[in-house]
Amino acid sequence: MNAKEFREFGKAAVDFVADYLENIRENDILPSVEPGYLLPLLPKKMPETPEAWPEILTDINRVIKPGITHWQSPNMHAYFPTCISYPSLVGELIATGYGIVGFSWICSPACTELEMVVMDWLAKFLHLPKHFLHEDDGPGGGVIQGSASESVLVAVLAAREQAVRKERENHPEMSESDIRGKLIAYSSDQSNSCIEKAGLLAAIRMKLLPADEDLIFRGATLQKAIEKDVAAGLIPVICIATLGTTGTCAYDDIESLASICEQYQVWLHVDAAYAGGAFALDECAELRRGLDRVDSLNFNLHKFMQVSFDCAAMWVRDANNVVDSFNVDRIYLKHKHDDQTKIPDFRHWQIPLGRRFRALKVWITFRTLGAEGLRATMRKHIDLAIQFERAVKADKRFEVVAPRALGLVCFRAKGDNEITAQLQHRLMERKKIYMVKAEHCGRLFLRFSICGMDPKPSDIEFAWTEIETQLTAICAEDQVNARKAGDITDLSHHLTGLQLTNETLRR
Ligand code: PLP
């Protein structure tokens, strides 16, 4: 393919994406294909000779689109949002066009330095403490990771290495393997699965402590666990708190957790994968309480800040703790500005060596939408969730199970779990909207999350009508079934009676 053909294919692809996104409401949110649907539709080997791009674009509609779950549809209400925006898509295209791998400054100075700039812009936008800024004199700073999971793992690995070094200094009589065997990390039972996975990957015990009844993880719980573990000879390393848990978007009590972490010199990391964007809103200022006392935190721009997946911001109070833990050098990686004092080589802040030029899409998105536009989108999500919550509360057949938080409403049909399970099953079968179930203390509930590229109040009305009419239908069917069951019971009594009569007659 030459540049001329690329221009044609590329322009057609942009039209393709714009048409898709403009008309996204026409699609059922969930695909209607069965597992393995794609395999027989495609050849077993790549084509030997080149094919024309119009054919390929046609095939995208024919074989790929039927297997797409439409995440950018406003009828998506599952998980948390992953909102894209047009400027972010353009940023992806240009960054990919440069085709760079920016693991060190010399590999593309603009990649590293733009990342420092946008991470500082973002930190200021979110009102984070100054010590997280690159422009501050201290050792802190921000980096773009691929995911919240990677950010958490980096924090756990760095905390582990720092703890091992400290213990070796304090206890030279202990072997390194003895020390490693005693390390322990903490989070709550409401934290995302990636926290437990980080424990597995980092080979460190991860204790998931029970959150309080209101689903909040507090310092008192952490303190009890640490006291018990220290008495048993274990070495507490890191605590991972969550602002915006995946189940109900609960916010852990960072202040009280920070007090315990400071007392025991335990690294405190905050996973704010979804809720972090709300730090930017004055009305959510409460969420920022205690952030000046944490060692690191992460937040996904690809959730509700309109930067396309993947883009996860991570800040560390002291980058030396990370760089010292992961700095593995080779002669071919060296360059004359690699002393790390002025400009970081971000490969030392992450797991892979190679890194994408993600900062470009962030920069283009921030400039195109402005801080005002980003705040407006988050406020829109909150308003739409309030609209949905009102509808739930106005219908006596439903109940809200946790306080609405940002763009998430957790609710259920009153009564036993079976009704909520049936409702979710039915909604999934109809594919008009998509929600996932969750459970707490034996109570099943549904999570209604505001998602999609451009959700509107009419989309919330659509979703609510779908939910409440399906509940009405389930109740009506249950009544018919109950009546039928009643009739059958009557009939069987009747039958039993007849049989008895026959037997009596025969006798
Ligand atoms: N943490 C929280 C609170 C989440 O809700 C999620 C995903 O939704 C994650 C972590 C994992 O995010 P990622 O897919 O970026 O690893």
Side-chain angles (χ1 to χ4, degrees), residues 23-30 69-79 384 388 427-428 430-436 447-467:
N23 300 304
I24 202 158
R25 287 177 177 79
E26 289 170 6
N27 302 296
D28 278 350
I29 176 76
L30 285 161
T69 300
H70 301 283
W71 280 74
Q72 297 311 314
S73 164
N75 300 325
M76 174 78 176
H77 299 291
Y79 315 107
L384 293 176
F388 182 80
L427 294 170
M428 291 282 285
R430 286 172 53 82
K431 306 180 175 36
K432 301 295 169 213
I433 61 170
Y434 180 19
M435 280 183 294
V436 288
R447 293 172 74 265
F448 185 89
S449 168
I450 305 297
C451 299
M453 188 172 163
D454 186 21
K456 296 189 184 333
S458 53
D459 296 312
I460 305 305
E461 278 165 33
F462 174 81
W464 176 246
T465 306
E466 171 71 1
I467 293 166

Side-chain angles (χ1 to χ4, degrees), residues 344-402:
D345 277 344
F346 278 128
R347 71 192 148 94
H348 300 307
W349 298 47
Q350 61 172 22
I351 294 158
L353 173 61
R355 59 197 330 268
R356 301 191 333 108
F357 191 1
R358 296 186 184 99
L360 194 65
K361 64 181 173 186
V362 177
W363 185 57
I364 294 177
T365 306
F366 286 1
R367 290 187 61 185
T368 313
L369 306 179
E372 204 179 80
L374 296 167
R375 282 191 291 262
T377 298
M378 290 188 274
R379 289 196 170 113
K380 180 172 79 170
H381 278 228
I382 295 171
D383 288 346
L384 293 176
I386 292 172
Q387 177 190 338
F388 182 80
E389 184 191 31
R390 265 197 215 114
V392 175
K393 284 184 169 168
D395 189 323
K396 295 210 157 29
R397 298 170 300 166
F398 291 93
E399 60 187 331
V400 170
V401 299

Side-chain angles (χ1 to χ4, degrees), residues 80 146-150 192 194 242 244-246 271 273-274 300 302-303:
F80 276 135
S147 62
S149 310
E150 279 169 67
N192 187 266
C194 75
T242 312
T245 56
T246 311
D271 171 20
Y274 167 63
N300 283 357
H302 63 243
K303 285 206 165 10

